[in-house]
Amino acid sequence: MKQSILLLSILALMALSCDRTPVITIDPNAKDPYKENMINANKIISQSEDTKISSYIERRGWDMKQLPNGEYLQEVEKGEGGAIDFEDTISVSYSVSFLTGTTVYPHEEETFVVGQHKPTVGLDRAVLELHHGSKARLILPSSLGYGVVGDGDKIP
């Protein structure tokens, strides 16, 4: 059964550089120093992105909640339909912008099965918080958007 949802906008935070270069020291006693360094670097990047996203939301006065996986969601208008469930087929209409205001994709439409949407796992998870017909605002950290590989076109 095809059901639809309209997402007012998705503001994607992708591939932001850190405000500072992390200093990573190698622990000679670590079992896998490379793995430990990668974990520490990812934590620094994640904290930097979270700070930027929180500041962005605060400047706009948006009432967004942070979901357990790190997405920020605001249901701007609750849909008339029931809650979206895993394996529902939904259609979304959205735009993608960086926090800098640069619009990457001005208008996209897509139909997918919830739980099987691979490129942007954050979108897939966030729609489970909405109702069919809702309008929402969503901000994804890069790890839940197109991640390290980008989208091969406009998002590095």
Side-chain angles (χ1 to χ4, degrees), residues 59-74:
R59 286 191 308 271
R60 278 148 188 79
W62 291 343
D63 182 25
M64 299 185 87
K65 66 178 178 178
Q66 186 174 17
L67 303 179
N69 295 308
E71 308 94 325
Y72 289 82
L73 180 68
Q74 179 182 14

Side-chain angles (χ1 to χ4, degrees), residues 14-26:
M14 306 290 171
L16 289 176
S17 60
C18 292
D19 292 335
R20 58 189 167 96
T21 304
V23 176
I24 300 173
T25 56
I26 297 175

Side-chain angles (χ1 to χ4, degrees), residues 84-136:
I84 295 175
D85 291 317
F86 186 74
E87 295 187 339
D88 281 357
T89 299
I90 63 170
S91 295
V92 296
S93 177
Y94 61 92
S95 64
V96 177
S97 301
F98 292 121
L99 292 183
T100 61
T102 303
T103 300
V104 181
Y105 296 109
H107 182 78
E108 296 293 314
E109 292 188 23
E110 183 176 356
T111 299
F112 64 93
V113 177
V114 178
Q116 298 178 13
H117 193 247
K118 302 292 185 223
T120 52
V121 68
L123 172 61
D124 203 21
R125 292 175 182 169
V127 296
L128 290 168
E129 300 289 324
L130 301 172
H131 292 79
H132 292 282
S134 292
K135 293 182 181 179

Side-chain angles (χ1 to χ4, degrees), residues 27-36:
D27 179 359
N29 299 321
K31 291 181 181 178
D32 187 349
Y34 177 76
K35 182 178 178 180
E36 288 298 315

Side-chain angles (χ1 to χ4, degrees), residues 10-11 14 21 38 45 47 50 54 57 61 66-67 70-71 76 83 86 92 100 102 111 137 150 153:
I10 297 176
L11 301 171
M14 306 290 171
T21 304
M38 291 303 294
I45 291 168
Q47 289 169 349
D50 193 52
S54 296
I57 293 167
Q66 186 174 17
L67 303 179
E71 308 94 325
V76 177
F86 186 74
V92 296
T100 61
T102 303
T111 299
R137 191 173 282 134
D153 187 23

